[in-house]
Amino acid sequence: MPGSRGVAAAGAAAVLALTAGCGMLGLGEDAAESDEDRLVNMINDSNRLEAELAAAEYRLIEKCLEDAGFTVHDPWALQAYEPEEQESLSEYPPHEGFIIEAEEAAEYGFGQWANGPDGMEDPATEDYWAAEEEEWQEEEGDSYEEPDTAEWDALDPADQYAWYVAYQGEEYAEWSYGSAQEYADMMAGEGDYAEDAIAEEEAVADEGEIDLEEEMDPEPKPGGCQLEMIQQLHGEPELVEESYENEDGSTETWEYWSYGVENPLYASETMWEDIELDYADKMADEQDAFLDCISGKGYEGWEFDQYNALPVWEFFAQLYYQNASEEEKDMMLGDSDAVVPEIPEAAGSSYEEWKAYEIQMAVDFAACGDETGYADASEQAYEEAHVDAYTAVEQDVYAWQEKIKEALATAQELLDA
């Protein structure tokens, strides 16, 4: 395997060397397409390897459990998956949130009217969501099938709990489900899980006497057959601590157990930020031109946010919920810090006027997208930013793939033993 890896690395280096100089030969566009195809293949190969390794890990766990006498398994816990084939390097460029097809804009606007309190009563809302569902089905498909749980459901709760203990260890099972008795009560809807008990607890919580959102205890170290699989393929699991700084300056910290080698595509803490910054730099002139265009059509005060999008959703949440209760406003807007324009007089004062204003805005934004060439420039810039970012970690990804292949070979040896 090391020998073939060296040949692959040399080949990849040769490809990079050749494509680096293609621009001088007038082949820049073809070279960019070649770069994207190569990197998309790299991503799909990585996703396939990850799915294969996950399936092998589950088979090792099943083998361990069956050696211990457990022949029926929770299909949700050990469910393998088929990786989706990625067709392009970049998906959903930022402009898609505020520049939509002219025909769709004229019919539905941005679709935000369907989310407002008055939109719930609008007869057109049902048609809108049906059209959205149909489009989603065309894009995503409907190939997912839920696992058959009949055998598992037929087990006694005590046997199910014993399986969880064998799967991840007693401490982990108790952390996830409580004691064996608590699990049995939960499955039967008895004890603390009876309807009356739950209603009483919620009533006490509403009075502020208890906090239903209290933090869980830290995740315990995996045990049982899962730990055995981890040790066989990856060594000892590692306790990882991460922290997050809130806007008020406070810090939240959490811990979790990690194992295996992380894909370099997802290991970088700044890769996605770098893509957004690179994209913003490439689109600076186009963004100014687009803002000038919509300003000329009467839409003042709009600014691009940190994600290179216009806060359309936040603007219309304020528009449609301006007469709603503070609780409803907070539910829709939460702690959003988006800078949105003030609601203009042109938006009107009734739901019908607000909806008409939204549709006209979507039409005008689409027109400015055409006039400035924004959508085409955005797609190209977003692709180029992704090509640059993925190329920077390409060789690291190939090295990671080899480690995954080694783990797969080890798993197969253990399964065959």
Side-chain angles (χ1 to χ4, degrees), residues 52-80 152 162-169 172 222-234 259 410-412 414-416:
E52 288 179 3
L53 181 58
E57 290 174 345
Y58 289 149
R59 289 199 299 272
L60 282 173
I61 292 173
E62 283 186 3
K63 183 175 185 292
C64 170
L65 288 166
E66 289 172 1
D67 289 344
F70 296 92
T71 57
V72 177
H73 309 291
D74 178 356
W76 287 107
L78 303 179
Q79 186 181 23
W152 173 260
W163 184 93
Y164 287 123
V165 171
Y167 169 36
Q168 292 180 300
Y172 207 102
C225 287
Q226 185 182 42
L227 178 61
E228 180 176 316
M229 175 277 294
I230 294 171
Q231 291 170 332
Q232 288 174 325
L233 292 186
H234 309 291
Y259 60 88
T410 301
Q412 191 61 54
L414 292 167
L415 288 168
D416 293 340

Side-chain angles (χ1 to χ4, degrees), residues 27 39 79 100 102 106 123 151 198 213 216 227 325 349 355 381 393:
L27 302 176
L39 294 168
Q79 186 181 23
I100 56 182
E151 284 191 282
I198 294 174
E213 297 182 358
M216 291 181 65
L227 178 61
S325 67
S349 57
K355 181 179 177 181
V393 297

Side-chain angles (χ1 to χ4, degrees), residues 117-118 318-325 328-329 349-350 354:
D118 297 296
Q318 289 198 6
L319 178 67
Y320 291 115
Y321 280 82
Q322 58 184 290
N323 299 324
S325 67
E328 288 177 312
K329 290 180 182 178
S349 57
S350 68
W354 298 338

Side-chain angles (χ1 to χ4, degrees), residues 11 65 77 89 96 101 105 120 127 146 165 168 176 206 215 244 260 270 302 304 326 343-344 370 386 393 404:
L65 288 166
L89 200 59
E96 291 187 354
E101 295 292 335
M120 305 296 180
D127 292 337
E146 292 190 357
V165 171
Q168 292 180 300
S176 300
D206 290 339
E215 294 183 5
Y244 174 82
T270 62
W302 286 88
F304 283 91
E326 290 301 320
I343 297 174
D370 289 338
H386 279 77
V393 297
I404 299 302

Side-chain angles (χ1 to χ4, degrees), residues 199-269:
E200 182 179 350
E201 184 176 7
E202 290 176 347
V204 173
D206 290 339
E207 296 175 2
E209 296 184 22
I210 62 173
D211 182 8
L212 290 177
E213 297 182 358
E214 61 184 45
E215 294 183 5
M216 291 181 65
D217 293 331
E219 178 188 18
K221 180 180 178 178
C225 287
Q226 185 182 42
L227 178 61
E228 180 176 316
M229 175 277 294
I230 294 171
Q231 291 170 332
Q232 288 174 325
L233 292 186
H234 309 291
E236 287 295 326
E238 176 186 2
L239 182 62
V240 178
E241 181 179 293
E242 293 190 1
S243 60
Y244 174 82
E245 184 174 340
N246 297 309
E247 293 182 357
D248 61 5
S250 61
T251 302
E252 293 184 28
T253 303
W254 67 94
E255 297 178 340
Y256 61 92
W257 289 90
S258 176
Y259 60 88
V261 184
E262 187 173 14
N263 188 334
L265 289 174
Y266 314 116
S268 172
E269 296 180 358

